[in-house]
Amino acid sequence: MKKNLIVLMTTISILASGAAVLADEIPAATIEPTADEIMNVPAQPDTPFEDRIQGDVMLISGDTPVDAPVSMPSYVSKIVTVTEIRDKDNVISTTINEEDKENPENTINYTFTDNTIVLGYANGDVKALKDIKVGDKITVFSNAYSPAPLILPPQYSADVIVVEDETEKLNNVNVDTYVKDETGKLVNLANTLALNIADDTEIVDREGKKVDVNDLDKKDLVVVYNIETRSIPAQTNPVKVIVLGENEMAINNMEAAKNEADVTPAPTEAPEATEAPSDDKKVNFNDVKSIKIGDKSIENVYTKSENVLMVPLREIAESLGFTVEWDGELKAIMLNSGIYSLKVGENSYVKGRMMPQELSVAPEIKSDDLTYVPFEYFTEIIEAKANIEVDEEGAAHGTIELTFSDTDNK
């Protein structure tokens, strides 16, 4: 006797959704920073370079970074040391470990163009690409939505390069998409920095032409500043703002995440758990040979210890109609321009603004260079429906049918 089981979204997913909505109700800081809130000692030249950056946000020495992003930052950054400049190929070769720079595993290549902005840390003064020398320590900001070729060593675009010069007074730099909040204050997508534009703030475009302060909403900005409050998000009066332009993918990602949060009601009480059939808990996946999506059969599946069925992420996701992007530097995968995200080796799966969720195991890359995730990723995070046939002993055999309806999951 065989049974057909429909895999349901678990209670933890529902709770995570509710927690995300409640978190969104916390208003951003709306007051101007006071003298007591502002740290009056900017970063000094003798501060270790690495101590002034966390993720893509430069921090004043001794400050504690706030880990409360509300959306994916539009730019990722890395502190590296220049090892070679190939003008012919428009490539700057760098290392993440100056003491082991000959190791190819530490190499990152950055491509530059005429649009690449090069700045110094003294008031964001504009430099030229020719000013960069072998041995310089630089921070490179790359657009998180730009495609990166799957090659070794990894290669990314250099959109903004900030050059370390220990003879100069050091400021801080943030590159991200900035959006006006309900108070009219510009806040970056990472929710780490809010701007209080002063009359003496220099606002220019790539060519150095003045830009009106009212034209900064939903634009990618390079923000140079020297002091910030310890609020969430931190507030600053920027020294200089450079407008990079619009980032359509980042805005679409933000609006999609906001719409998803708006239509997901916060539960007034914890929902009751749906008790799955008892023999569902004993399903044995060892004999599962493939995943079927429509007419397509995906056969490169395997089981790990503790009976976890692992399946290829990209092949299944694309078969269900999702777009898939790979960030080789971060070993991160984004579905539908970042609405869903995960990292190889980290048991943390993100959907929109929901709290990250743990599954049976973390994503992993096998010898075929494909990324595999536990099958439950598609039933609990993506919320696809699976038809699993099991025998009386709870063993699944042959093929699992997987379906997904975008309409059903809105």
Side-chain angles (χ1 to χ4, degrees), residues 244-384:
L244 301 181
E246 296 182 350
N247 191 330
E248 183 177 354
M249 292 185 68
I251 297 302
N252 289 341
N253 178 30
M254 177 199 69
E255 292 178 347
K258 182 178 183 301
N259 290 337
E260 181 178 348
D262 290 342
V263 300
T264 306
T268 56
E269 59 183 22
E272 295 183 3
T274 302
E275 184 67 24
S278 60
D279 51 352
D280 181 36
K281 300 176 182 177
K282 304 175 184 178
V283 173
N284 187 320
F285 291 105
N286 287 330
D287 292 330
V288 173
K289 304 299 181 184
S290 63
I291 305 296
K292 185 177 181 182
I293 302 174
D295 296 330
K296 185 172 184 178
S297 180
I298 300 169
E299 300 181 354
N300 48 331
V301 302
Y302 63 95
T303 54
K304 288 176 64 71
S305 59
E306 299 184 0
N307 193 35
V308 178
L309 179 64
M310 301 295 289
V311 297
L313 172 62
R314 179 183 290 274
E315 191 172 6
I316 292 181
E318 291 182 341
S319 297
L320 293 175
F322 290 80
T323 61
V324 181
E325 299 171 83
W326 164 256
D327 186 321
E329 179 183 1
L330 298 177
K331 290 188 176 181
I333 303 97
M334 295 178 291
L335 277 63
N336 284 9
S337 300
I339 298 299
Y340 304 83
S341 62
L342 57 150
K343 287 186 179 182
V344 173
E346 294 186 11
N347 193 348
S348 179
Y349 299 85
V350 178
K351 176 182 178 180
R353 290 187 176 184
M354 293 182 182
M355 297 290 290
Q357 181 175 337
E358 288 189 1
L359 299 178
S360 298
V361 295
E364 61 185 27
I365 297 178
K366 298 293 285 183
S367 57
D368 57 7
D369 291 331
L370 299 180
T371 300
Y372 288 81
V373 295
F375 177 70
E376 62 194 292
Y377 175 75
F378 289 99
T379 59
E380 295 191 16
I381 306 299
I382 300 298
E383 299 178 38

Side-chain angles (χ1 to χ4, degrees), residues 147-169:
L150 296 180
I151 60 175
L152 291 176
Q155 179 173 295
Y156 306 98
S157 62
D159 296 287
V160 179
I161 300 175
V162 189
V163 183
E164 165 82 343
D165 186 343
E166 301 210 0
T167 65
E168 296 177 344
K169 175 183 175 182

Side-chain angles (χ1 to χ4, degrees), residues 123-140:
N123 301 318
D125 55 318
V126 178
K127 294 180 176 289
L129 283 163
K130 64 180 181 181
D131 293 328
I132 300 175
K133 308 179 296 299
V134 172
D136 281 350
K137 187 166 285 190
I138 60 177
T139 302
V140 185

Side-chain angles (χ1 to χ4, degrees), residues 53-71:
I53 187 165
Q54 174 71 28
D56 68 326
V57 183
M58 302 300 295
L59 298 170
I60 294 176
S61 177
D63 196 12
T64 303
V66 176
D67 185 18
V70 297
S71 186

